[in-house]
């Protein structure tokens, strides 16, 4: 198994050459105060060292040991507590946090690269900082000044961690039917009672306090999602002087036994009149939670890329080293008993597919992060609103497409290994197991597809979609005379036209057929994702082509050849997806329940 190495060369290429991120940061005054190219590069370098040198070596042992539960107390795998302290000492928990409360104020375009390294090195561990960052984001956006001043500094520092408590045994996606209750007290606090499940790192021994953001309903709350409020419920109550007080009235009832991410604690949390404080307005808790959802869902998509990158690294090394049979064109290494399996077309198909999705996906996640930065930091209202629309449209694509392709890439990497990929010692089977959850949590990928098709496309009558389509159209027009790009522009334009066509088709069908959206949604998201990555590969070609002739490392020429493969073998999948969408919902809905 290859030792995970942070893909710093490619990250720098994407940030600096494909997107010119330093120019973006300079255009956002609140970002420019905190980051410049030198600072960004130093952050990337140090993040790479921590991910490759500290987190990755713990990944397999963490999977084998898992977390241990004993009478409500949870012990993390060996080495996790020390690794978490390394994260704390480096200030990594607050990398993207509000500087007013001790965060570093870094842009998401940069933070996303660190997140990918951390998740690729050790996804189970990486969930802890990820969940804390999400809790901080929601608290910073919606909490009172008193709550922010009391909790955010220690959460950004990592001395305290965060957890998000949404799901209940009977309520997964449909949060409107949650039963957890919050009863008001005379002092402005609330007593929170109920059971939450699937709470990642809801209990552990790595931080001295754990701050839960819990969705619950007030006694007079309206029914459904409009009656949900959010409450801050700390594991230990915090005194007025900032010191820790008594243990709050909730505990971890058990740990889930899972398929993957076994090194993380997935908890059942039982709240028994636990003291909490309202975050945001009453009955507006779901809106407060969705403040951080775009960041968290992109973060999950980035997890998919991270796992896929790890799979690609191992499979590539194995394909170069493992010898089996001879090349179809004759022996490539006649001095050996056989040739490396890299000579075989099907192995190359798998590796190039993996490479196309990983490097294209990394570029796409950075593209979405760029819009998040503009939406958060732009001072021009029109620019900010445009970015908000792009974020709303692209977030479900980033979450679902990148994790679907992430699992595909982990499985392909496993396949490159053959029988050895099924054996624990090579690490590929763990990547498959770990990556699988990314398609499920933070909203299943089917729900993401419904969100894209139903709310973002049909719900706006295509207005949000037009933002993306126009962005691609602008690129096509601006680069129409670029000789390097000419072979790629026509197939990209055709893919966008195909996406335009099915978008219009489903919008029309949805007016008369209630099943049209659900029948089209997953195929539509895949069609959108493949087209979006085609756009990203065209951007990569634009950046790489001028450097290819003088490049002795093969980095830039490899980009051009991978782009050619993507356009020849992966982008054409949009044709069959479009055909499937045009077939409508009749065959999907025809069987009776008994016929199943």
């Amino acid at each position: 198994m290859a030792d995970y190495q942070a893909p710093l060369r490619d990250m720098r290429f994407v940030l600096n050459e494909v997107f010119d991120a330093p120019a973006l940061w300079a255009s956002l005054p609140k970002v420019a105060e905190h980051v410049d190219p030198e600072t960004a590069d130093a952050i990337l370098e140090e993040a790479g060292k921590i991910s490759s040198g500290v987190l990755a070596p713990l990944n397999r042992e963490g999977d084998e040991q898992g977390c241990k539960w004993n009478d409500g107390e949870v012990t993390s795998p060996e080495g996790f507590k020390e690794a978490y302290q390394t994260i704390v000492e480096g200030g990594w928990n607050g990398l993207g946090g509000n500087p007013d409360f001790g965060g570093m104020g870094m842009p998401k375009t940069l933070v996303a690269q660190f997140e990918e390294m951390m998740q690729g090195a050790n996804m189970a561990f990486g969930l802890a900082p990820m969940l804390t960052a999400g809790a901080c984001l929601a608290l910073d956006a919606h909490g009172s000044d008193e709550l922010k001043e009391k909790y955010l500094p220690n959460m950004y520092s990592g001395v305290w961690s965060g957890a998000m408590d949404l799901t209940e045994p009977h309520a997964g996606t449909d949060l409107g039917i949650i039963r957890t209750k919050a009863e008001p007290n005379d002092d402005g606090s609330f007593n929170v009672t109920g059971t939450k499940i699937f709470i990642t790192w809801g209990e552990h021994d790595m931080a001295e306090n754990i701050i839960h953001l819990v969705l619950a309903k007030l006694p007079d709350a309206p029914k459904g999602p409009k009656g949900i409020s959010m409450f801050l419920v700390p594991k230990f109550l915090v005194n007025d002087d900032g010191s820790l007080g008594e243990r709050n009235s909730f505990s971890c009832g058990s740990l889930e036994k899972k398929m993957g991410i076994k090194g993380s604690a997935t908890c059942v949390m039982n709240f028994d009149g636990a003291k909490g404080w309202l975050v945001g307005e009453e009955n507006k808790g779901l809106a407060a939670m969705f403040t951080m959802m775009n960041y968290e869902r992109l973060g999950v998509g980035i997890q998919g890329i991270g796992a896929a990158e790890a799979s690609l690294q191992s499979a590539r090394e194995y394909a170069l080293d493992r010898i089996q049979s001879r090349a179809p064109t004759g022996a490539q290494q006649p001095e050996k008993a056989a040739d490396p399996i890299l000579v075989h077309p099907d192995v190359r198909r798998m590796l190039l597919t993996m490479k196309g999705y990983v490097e294209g996906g990394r570029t796409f996640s950075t593209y979405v992060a760029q819009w998040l930065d503009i939406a958060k930091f732009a001072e021009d209202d029109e620019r900010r609103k445009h970015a908000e629309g792009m974020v709303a449209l692209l977030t479900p694509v980033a979450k679902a497409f990148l994790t679907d392709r992430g699992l595909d890439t982990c499985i392909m990497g496993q396949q490159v290994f053959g029988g050895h990929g099924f054996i624990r010692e090579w690490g590929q089977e763990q990547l498959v197991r770990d990556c699988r959850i990314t398609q499920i949590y933070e909203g299943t990928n089917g729900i993401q597809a419904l969100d894209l098709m139903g709310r973002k496309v049909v719900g706006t009558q295509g207005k949000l979609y037009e933002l993306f389509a126009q962005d691609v159209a602008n690129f096509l027009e601006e680069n129409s005379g670029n000789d390097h790009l000419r072979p790629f522009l026509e197939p990209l334009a055709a893919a966008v036209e195909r996406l335009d066509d099915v978008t219009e088709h489903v919008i029309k069908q949805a007016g008369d057929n209630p099943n049209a959206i659900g029948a089209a949604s997953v195929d539509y998201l895949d069609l959108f994702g493949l087209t979006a990555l085609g756009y990203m590969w065209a951007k990569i070609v634009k950046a790489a082509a001028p450097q290819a002739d003088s490049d002795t490392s093969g980095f830039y020429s490899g980009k051009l050849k991978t782009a050619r493969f993507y356009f020849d073998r992966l982008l054409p999948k949009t044709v069959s997806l479009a055909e499937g969408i045009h077939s409508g919902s009749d065959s999907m809905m025809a069987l009776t329940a008994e016929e199943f």
Side-chain angles (χ1 to χ4, degrees), residues 255-499:
L255 294 181
E256 302 291 355
K257 294 178 173 61
K258 303 168 296 188
M259 172 182 176
I261 54 169
K262 293 183 177 182
S264 68
T266 303
C267 304
V268 175
M269 301 302 301
N270 298 316
F271 295 87
D272 186 17
K275 183 166 284 194
W277 288 265
L278 183 68
V279 177
E281 298 179 44
E282 293 185 0
N283 305 321
K284 298 291 180 66
L286 208 53
M289 191 67 76
F290 271 99
T291 296
M292 46 70 65
M293 278 298 185
N294 286 333
Y295 285 82
E296 290 291 285
R297 286 175 172 170
L298 174 59
V300 174
I302 289 169
Q303 285 186 315
I305 300 169
E309 170 67 32
S311 180
L312 174 59
Q313 289 185 19
S314 291
R316 179 174 57 215
E317 181 176 291
Y318 187 81
L320 289 165
D321 184 63
R322 173 75 165 176
I323 59 172
Q324 290 280 282
S325 306
R326 291 297 185 187
T329 55
Q332 301 297 299
Q333 296 186 4
E335 73 281 5
K336 295 184 178 180
D339 289 328
I341 62 173
L342 185 64
V343 302
H344 302 299
D346 190 55
V347 173
R348 285 173 167 262
R349 173 192 63 82
M350 290 187 283
L351 289 172
L352 276 164
T353 300
M354 295 164 72
K355 190 172 168 64
Y357 286 143
V358 168
E359 295 175 11
R362 178 176 297 122
T363 308
F364 182 62
S365 69
T366 306
Y367 175 73
V368 179
Q370 170 185 263
W371 292 114
L372 277 166
D373 283 338
I374 296 170
K376 183 176 181 179
F377 295 112
E379 296 184 348
D380 176 79
D381 286 345
E382 185 175 344
R383 187 185 184 198
R384 186 172 64 252
K385 288 178 181 177
H386 176 88
E388 288 171 351
M390 287 291 274
V391 167
L393 176 74
L394 297 174
T395 294
V397 183
K399 193 278 182 185
F401 187 79
L402 294 180
T403 57
D404 282 344
R405 301 296 80 77
L407 181 67
D408 289 347
T409 299
C410 289
I411 290 172
M412 276 184 275
Q414 185 181 41
Q415 194 73 16
V416 169
F417 278 77
H420 290 291
F422 202 68
I423 303 302
R424 183 167 57 183
E425 69 180 279
W426 291 91
Q428 291 298 104
E429 62 86 30
Q430 183 189 341
L431 288 171
V432 173
R433 288 186 290 104
D434 285 353
C435 191
R436 184 65 182 89
I437 186 58
T438 65
Q439 298 172 299
I440 297 172
Y441 58 21
E442 290 293 343
T444 66
N445 286 1
I447 293 297
Q448 301 302 317
L450 283 172
D451 178 45
L452 174 68
M453 187 85 266
R455 293 178 183 169
K456 309 301 171 55
V457 176
V458 175
T460 67
Q461 291 296 292
K463 288 184 173 60
L464 286 183
Y465 168 75
E466 283 300 319
L467 298 177
F468 173 76
Q470 188 60 52
D471 196 50
V472 184
N474 292 342
F475 177 86
L476 292 169
E477 183 178 354
E478 291 166 5
N479 294 282
S480 59
N482 187 321
D483 290 339
H484 296 300
L485 274 170
R486 188 166 286 116
F488 303 94
L489 296 182
E490 185 176 338
L492 176 58
V496 174
E497 186 176 347
R498 202 169 291 124
L499 186 56

Side-chain angles (χ1 to χ4, degrees), residues 31-98:
V31 174
E33 291 177 21
H34 303 288
V35 67
D36 53 38
E38 292 74 24
T39 301
D41 200 59
I43 287 172
L44 288 176
E45 193 69 31
E46 189 61 26
K49 291 177 183 177
I50 290 173
S51 299
S52 301
V54 177
L55 302 184
L58 299 173
N59 191 40
R60 180 176 164 186
E61 287 302 316
D63 177 68
E64 294 186 353
Q65 290 179 22
C67 290
K68 301 292 190 297
W69 180 92
N70 182 27
D71 195 24
E73 300 294 327
V74 174
T75 304
S76 58
E78 186 178 336
F80 272 43
K81 192 171 184 179
E82 292 77 11
Y84 185 82
Q85 193 58 38
T86 298
I87 295 293
V88 168
E89 290 170 357
W92 294 101
N93 257 19
L95 191 61
N98 186 343

Side-chain angles (χ1 to χ4, degrees), residues 84-256:
Y84 185 82
Q85 193 58 38
T86 298
I87 295 293
V88 168
E89 290 170 357
W92 294 101
N93 257 19
L95 191 61
N98 186 343
D100 291 343
F101 300 99
M104 294 176 64
M106 293 296 141
K108 186 65 176 180
T109 37
L110 181 59
V111 174
Q113 315 309 315
F114 167 60
E115 289 174 339
E116 190 207 314
M117 295 183 225
M118 181 168 56
Q119 303 297 342
N122 192 329
M123 188 187 298
F125 177 90
L127 282 162
M130 178 180 174
L131 268 293
T132 301
C136 287
L137 192 67
L139 181 58
D140 185 44
H142 297 282
S144 65
D145 289 342
E146 182 183 359
L147 286 180
K148 289 191 282 190
E149 289 169 2
K150 194 169 189 175
Y151 290 94
L152 281 177
N154 278 331
M155 293 177 74
Y156 283 145
S157 72
V159 174
W160 300 346
S161 68
M164 313 294 291
D165 299 56
L166 290 73
T167 307
E168 299 183 8
H170 63 287
T173 298
D174 189 0
L175 290 171
I177 60 173
I178 63 171
R179 296 174 185 154
T180 300
K181 296 294 185 184
E183 300 281 347
N185 297 315
D186 293 339
D187 63 357
S189 67
F190 295 80
N191 289 339
V192 177
T193 302
T195 296
K196 298 288 185 178
I197 63 170
F198 303 155
I199 309 307
T200 304
W201 288 114
E203 175 61 35
H204 59 84
D205 60 350
M206 299 190 298
E208 64 181 38
N209 202 3
I210 305 171
I211 312 305
H212 291 254
L213 293 187
V214 183
L215 294 186
K217 289 194 170 186
L218 295 166
D220 57 350
K223 291 183 178 180
K226 294 183 179 179
I228 298 173
S229 300
M230 181 191 287
F231 299 88
L232 184 153
V233 187
K235 175 180 175 179
F236 291 99
L237 298 176
V238 180
N239 298 319
D240 291 339
D241 63 0
S243 62
L244 296 184
E246 63 183 17
R247 179 83 181 246
N248 211 343
S249 301
F250 70 91
S251 63
C252 174
S254 64
L255 294 181
E256 302 291 355

